[in-house]
Amino acid sequence: MIIPAEKDLRAVLAQFAQARIEHDVRPTGRTSRDLEDATYTLCVMTGARTAEQALLAADALLEQLTSAASISQQDETLAA
Protein backbone atom coordinates (compact mmCIF):
# COMPACT_ATOMS: atom_id res chain seq x y z
CA MET A 1 0.00 0.00 0.00
CA ILE A 2 1.20 3.50 -0.79
CA ILE A 3 1.38 5.58 2.37
CA PRO A 4 -0.35 8.94 1.91
CA ALA A 5 1.29 12.20 2.87
CA GLU A 6 0.32 13.40 6.32
CA LYS A 7 -1.26 16.62 5.04
CA ASP A 8 -3.35 14.72 2.49
CA LEU A 9 -4.58 12.25 5.09
CA ARG A 10 -5.44 15.06 7.50
CA ALA A 11 -7.31 16.91 4.73
CA VAL A 12 -9.41 13.83 3.94
CA LEU A 13 -10.12 13.27 7.64
CA ALA A 14 -11.30 16.87 7.91
CA GLN A 15 -13.47 16.44 4.82
CA PHE A 16 -14.96 13.26 6.28
CA ALA A 17 -15.64 14.95 9.62
CA GLN A 18 -17.32 17.93 7.96
CA ALA A 19 -19.46 15.68 5.75
CA ARG A 20 -20.44 13.53 8.74
CA ILE A 21 -21.46 16.58 10.77
CA GLU A 22 -23.44 18.15 7.94
CA HIS A 23 -25.22 14.88 7.21
CA ASP A 24 -26.05 14.31 10.88
CA VAL A 25 -27.41 17.85 11.31
CA ARG A 26 -29.43 18.13 8.07
CA PRO A 27 -29.46 14.95 6.01
CA THR A 28 -30.13 15.59 2.32
CA GLY A 29 -29.20 13.89 -0.91
CA ARG A 30 -26.20 16.20 -1.24
CA THR A 31 -24.91 15.55 2.28
CA SER A 32 -25.36 11.83 1.73
CA ARG A 33 -23.30 11.96 -1.48
CA ASP A 34 -20.65 14.12 0.18
CA LEU A 35 -20.39 11.65 3.05
CA GLU A 36 -20.19 8.70 0.66
CA ASP A 37 -17.45 10.44 -1.36
CA ALA A 38 -15.44 11.31 1.74
CA THR A 39 -15.84 7.79 3.13
CA TYR A 40 -14.75 6.25 -0.18
CA THR A 41 -11.68 8.48 -0.38
CA LEU A 42 -10.72 7.73 3.22
CA CYS A 43 -11.15 3.99 2.63
CA VAL A 44 -9.01 4.08 -0.51
CA MET A 45 -6.26 6.08 1.23
CA THR A 46 -6.13 3.67 4.17
CA GLY A 47 -6.87 0.39 2.39
CA ALA A 48 -9.93 -0.19 4.58
CA ARG A 49 -13.41 -1.47 3.73
CA THR A 50 -15.53 0.48 6.21
CA ALA A 51 -15.48 3.99 7.66
CA GLU A 52 -14.75 2.60 11.11
CA GLN A 53 -11.78 0.59 9.85
CA ALA A 54 -10.57 3.57 7.82
CA LEU A 55 -10.64 5.87 10.85
CA LEU A 56 -8.66 3.36 12.91
CA ALA A 57 -6.18 2.89 10.06
CA ALA A 58 -5.85 6.66 9.60
CA ASP A 59 -5.03 7.07 13.29
CA ALA A 60 -2.37 4.38 13.02
CA LEU A 61 -0.93 5.93 9.85
CA LEU A 62 -0.78 9.38 11.43
CA GLU A 63 1.00 7.92 14.43
CA GLN A 64 3.55 6.28 12.11
CA LEU A 65 3.99 9.44 10.05
CA THR A 66 4.45 11.72 13.03
CA SER A 67 6.88 9.37 14.77
CA ALA A 68 8.87 8.99 11.53
CA ALA A 69 9.01 12.78 11.19
CA SER A 70 10.16 13.07 14.79
CA ILE A 71 12.95 10.56 14.24
CA SER A 72 14.00 12.39 11.08
CA GLN A 73 14.17 15.68 12.98
CA GLN A 74 16.27 14.05 15.70
CA ASP A 75 18.67 12.68 13.09
CA GLU A 76 19.04 16.14 11.52
CA THR A 77 19.70 17.68 14.93
CA LEU A 78 22.37 15.09 15.70
CA ALA A 79 24.01 15.62 12.30
CA ALA A 80 24.28 19.37 12.90
Side-chain angles (χ1 to χ4, degrees):
M1 177 174 91
I2 297 173
I3 297 176
E6 181 180 355
K7 70 175 187 156
D8 295 334
L9 185 55
R10 288 187 186 279
V12 170
L13 283 168
Q15 179 186 15
F16 174 82
Q18 184 65 36
R20 177 85 259 171
I21 291 167
E22 287 181 12
H23 186 67
D24 286 348
V25 172
R26 279 188 209 93
T28 65
R30 183 191 60 81
T31 62
S32 179
R33 284 188 302 279
D34 290 348
L35 182 57
E36 286 177 22
D37 288 347
T39 301
Y40 175 80
T41 303
L42 187 57
C43 286
V44 168
M45 283 185 107
T46 60
R49 291 181 176 256
T50 67
E52 293 79 16
Q53 291 172 348
L55 290 170
L56 290 171
D59 284 344
L61 281 170
L62 286 173
E63 189 174 320
Q64 286 177 350
L65 292 168
T66 54
S67 65
S70 176
I71 290 170
S72 177
Q73 277 184 328
Q74 288 174 358
D75 288 347
E76 288 176 15
T77 303
L78 292 174

